Structure formats: structure tokens, C-alpha cells
Amino acid sequence: MRRIDDYRDMTAVDAVREAIEAAKANESFHAILSLTEERALARAADVDAGTVSGRLAGVPFIAKDNFLTFGSATTAASRMLENFEAPLQATAIERLEAEGAICIGKANLDAFAHGGSTENSAFGPTKNAVDTSKVAGGSSGGSAVAVALGIVPFALGTDTGGSIRQPASFNGVVGVKPTYGTVSRFGVVAMASSTDTIGVLAVSAKDAEVVMDIMSGQDDRDMTTLPDFFAPQGIERPLKIGVIGEAMTDDVATVVRDKVVASLERMKGAGHSVDQVSLPILKYALAIYYIVVPAEISSNLARYDGIRYGLRAANDTLSHLYGASRDAGFMPENKRRILIGSYVLSSGYFDAYYLKAQKARTLLIEEFNRLFDDYDILVAPVAPTPAFALGENADDPVKMYLADIMTVPASLAGLPAVSVPAKTEPGELPVGVQLIGRRQSDALLLALARQLEEEEA
Ligand code: GLN
């Protein structure tokens, strides 16, 4: 499995050819929706000719198919955008390309990033990289599997409520969900604007750090971006680490708890202190998330009306055109969220649901703030179980939502969180350990992830 540094001794054309061959050889996983072969090879030739250079010169990567990119359609894994050719590229893509990185293709996802298994893709599910009877996780399932299979050293994802961390955990790669506002969302298909973040899945924490360093920083096309604060760092002092008690109960699979405990032992071994801490509001986090996020989804997805762009399924009366296009273009999970969102925002229910959820969200932020008065980093599992079976939760949306319990709190609070693969024995499914930090402590989380990684090596 190549890391970023391993590309130094290769020509860019060889690197791109190798990645594209690996993508084709692994088609059965259905991690990738389209390859941007022609454009990638042309860019590789520019790198080899010396007209393009930079920190990632000639390094191939894959972007989740909700990033606007040139070279193939940007579908968000939906019929709605099946034939959508992007008129511009996402800021994150532009920044990576400016450093010489080469996008070789687009990864599968749950349509519009709604889901946690990649089974909601309009083009069929992605299979787990380690056990093909299991889900890839989601919604950045294709990105996680492409990295875990060694097709590319890193892939881009989006994380609104866990979509980078959870598939990273299910496939044994590193997943970084940054502080809200770290990386520009410009040119990325919107899901829920107050929790959407852009991040990376990578073979190693060190590589993830390089990619975050390049992507982060203010962008005048996304007014929520923060001035660049991300600076790779080391660990200069012992850290105070708190493990969230409510996330380590009997409801969490024993194997997951055991891995988290083993990883905490290693943190202690490295000189850090570990205490159990309490986040009582955790039990309400899903209820808050599944009100706030559908509300924002119902608003963001209103733009897909069959008029301006995207699928048009009828050409008669205006209302039938809207209805038929949205019916044919959205997956059942997209429609469910639009309905829930419209309901909680409707005049009769706004106070009872949406406003109440926003107040509870504030309480959650305050609970986190209190813990961060005393602790540098909080630890929890990424998900209550390792990857579940394909089809296991597909017919029961509430069961599917329950799998998000550990990841949504950091999203609602805008906090950075990293999924680090725990040590596994041969034959075991991957399990991720989640590190959650204060706002803008992203580099510290990655420094700890690197420390754990180095110990393992
Ligand atoms: N699984 C969560 C959901 O379905 C997270 C999705 C995401 O982060 N894009 O909402």
C-alpha cells in the first residue's frame, strides 16, 4: 500500500496508470463510480514535463462524487445528477491540484450523502474492503474502500454526521473530520450547511495531515471558512484524555469497547493521563441531529426542481414537472429526509421540533465546552459495532440512524474528530477509535494519531 512519500521515485504517468489499473482490478467492490482517466493522464504528463509541481506532484487521489470536478460527471450517486457536468471545480480540488495532486476518479456514496452504509447509492452499494459480505460504511464508503484497497493513498470525503469517520472505521483507514469551517465547502453538493465538513481518508495520519494542511484555509467563496489555523505539530507535553463513559456501555459491542480500552492503554503508555468523563446529553444527540439535519436538507435540496439543472422527468404542467423530477431523481432516504425536514420546519411544528432541537444543540455544545475546560482530547468509539452485513439495516431507517450515535455529537458542536484504526488481529473486522478535540485542535488530534501509528510500526 503506497503512501504519499512512495510516489517520489515514480513518474506521474506511471503512478496514475498504476492507480487506474488497481481501480479496474477492484471493480467488484463498486467503490468507484467513474474514472477521469484522460484528464488524469494529461495532468500526469504535465507533472512529468515539469509544468506542474508541488508537494503532491504526481500523487493520485479519488474524490467522493459530491465534489464538483472536471473529467467526468458529478452525480452525488443520484439519478438527479446522473448526467451533471460540473461547470467549475470545488475549492478543495483546486487546492490539491495546485500542489500537483491528480484526481483519478469519483467514489461511490449514499445519494446526496444521506446514509451510513453506501447502500442508498442510486448506482448500487459498495462492498467492505475487508469482508465483502459487509457494508462499506457511509456515506463516504467508496472513498474509504478505495484507500483501504490501496488504489490511492488518500481520498476526499464529506462528513455531516459521521460520513468520513464511520467508513474509515469500517475499513481500517484514518478518517479526518475537521473543525467546522476548516476547509471550504464551495463546489461540494450541500447536505446540511451547519454541519457539512470536508475532510480526508488516508492510509496514514501523516498523509492525512499533509492533505489537510493543503486544503484548509479561508476561501472568499465560502463565508463560513476560518482563517488558516492548521499547522502540523508534535506532542510537546502529556495530554489529558477523557473517555466518554456514556459511549462505553453494554450497548456497544464488546469487541469495539475492548479495542478502545486497548488503545487508551497505549495512550497511557505514551505518558498521557486517561480519566472517564461524562457527556449525559449523548442520549439526545441523535434526536437533535435527525431534526436539525433533515431541516437543512429539505431546504438545500429544494434547488433540485428539474428546471435549472439535473434530471427533468416530465415536460407538461409545472407542478407535475417538479413532482415527477423529484420523484425520479431522489432515493427513498432523500425523500424521507425532505419530508421530515419540511415537517419540523412547518409553522405548526417549528417551535416543538426545530427550535427545541436547536436549544438542545446549544446544551450539547456547552457540555462539550465544560469537558474541554479540563481535558485536551475526548475518546469514544466511532460506531457501536464493526461493519454490519449488507442489507442488515437497509429496511429499518431507525436502526440505521442508531449507528450514528457516536459521530453526530462532534458534528453538531462543530468539533474536529479523527477516526484512528485500532490494532486488529488477522481475521478481525477493522474498528476505529474516535479522538474528539476542541475547536481548531485538528493538528493536535492528528499528532496523537501519528504517535499511536508510530508505536504500532
Ligand atoms: N450517517 C449520517 C446520516 O445519514 C451521516 C451522513 C453524513 O455525514 N453525510 O445523516
Side-chain angles (χ1 to χ4, degrees), residues 92 178-186 197-199 212 215-217 222 225:
T179 299
Y180 180 77
T182 304
V183 180
S184 171
R185 293 178 287 119
F186 182 77
T197 59
I198 310 304
M212 288 310 300
M215 291 197 299
S216 58
D222 173 357
T225 47

Side-chain angles (χ1 to χ4, degrees), residues 53-67:
S53 59
R55 293 165 72 188
L56 294 178
V59 178
F61 73 98
I62 285 173
K64 189 176 180 178
D65 206 17
N66 56 353
F67 285 76

Side-chain angles (χ1 to χ4, degrees), residues 99-251:
E99 289 286 350
I102 301 175
C103 181
I104 65 142
K106 305 298 289 292
N108 199 10
L109 63 148
D110 291 295
F112 290 99
H114 304 172
S117 69
T118 312
E119 293 169 290
N120 295 334
S121 166
F123 309 119
T126 296
K127 292 179 179 155
N128 187 283
V130 177
D131 177 345
T132 54
S133 72
K134 302 284 194 265
V135 298
S139 63
S140 312
S143 300
V145 171
V147 172
L149 293 173
I151 296 170
V152 281
F154 73 91
L156 299 189
T158 58
D159 190 312
T160 300
S163 280
I164 289 177
R165 289 162 283 164
Q166 186 254 31
S169 168
F170 283 8
N171 293 282
V173 302
V174 174
V176 181
K177 172 247 180 277
T179 299
Y180 180 77
T182 304
V183 180
S184 171
R185 293 178 287 119
F186 182 77
V188 180
V189 176
M191 177 176 165
S193 307
S194 80
T195 68
D196 281 351
T197 59
I198 310 304
V200 63
L201 300 101
V203 174
S204 76
K206 186 164 166 263
D207 285 357
E209 187 177 75
V210 173
V211 175
M212 288 310 300
D213 197 24
I214 292 170
M215 291 197 299
S216 58
Q218 205 149 25
D219 177 11
D220 56 18
R221 294 180 298 183
D222 173 357
M223 298 310 282
T224 61
T225 47
L226 299 164
D228 194 9
F229 64 85
F230 188 94
Q233 63 175 84
I235 294 195
E236 271 116 44
R237 58 176 172 90
L239 298 171
K240 289 192 73 181
I241 293 171
V243 52
I244 301 175
E246 289 81 358
M248 295 289 279
T249 63
D250 290 349
D251 295 335

Side-chain angles (χ1 to χ4, degrees), residues 263-337:
S263 160
L264 288 166
E265 287 303 320
R266 292 175 45 226
M267 294 179 205
K268 280 187 204 162
H272 308 302
S273 70
V274 175
D275 294 328
Q276 179 158 321
V277 300
S278 180
L279 187 74
I281 203 165
L282 182 71
K283 60 174 179 291
Y284 298 120
L286 273 179
I288 304 170
Y289 178 87
Y290 277 101
I291 291 173
V292 171
V293 165
E296 295 185 23
I297 287 172
S298 74
S299 159
N300 271 328
L301 267 54
R303 72 189 71 174
Y304 302 105
D305 55 8
I307 301 284
R308 284 163 286 195
Y309 57 92
L311 181 80
R312 179 176 298 179
N315 248 327
D316 42 22
T317 64
L318 190 61
S319 68
H320 184 234
L321 188 165
Y322 286 160
S325 303
R326 288 168 70 78
D327 185 32
F330 289 134
M331 294 295 282
E333 184 59 28
N334 306 137
K335 295 176 192 173
R336 186 175 296 120
R337 293 182 188 218

Side-chain angles (χ1 to χ4, degrees), residues 2 7 10 12-23 60 150-151:
R2 283 186 199 281
Y7 288 92
M10 282 177 97
V13 167
D14 283 347
V16 165
R17 285 219 174 100
E18 184 187 84
I20 285 176
E21 270 166 33
I151 296 170

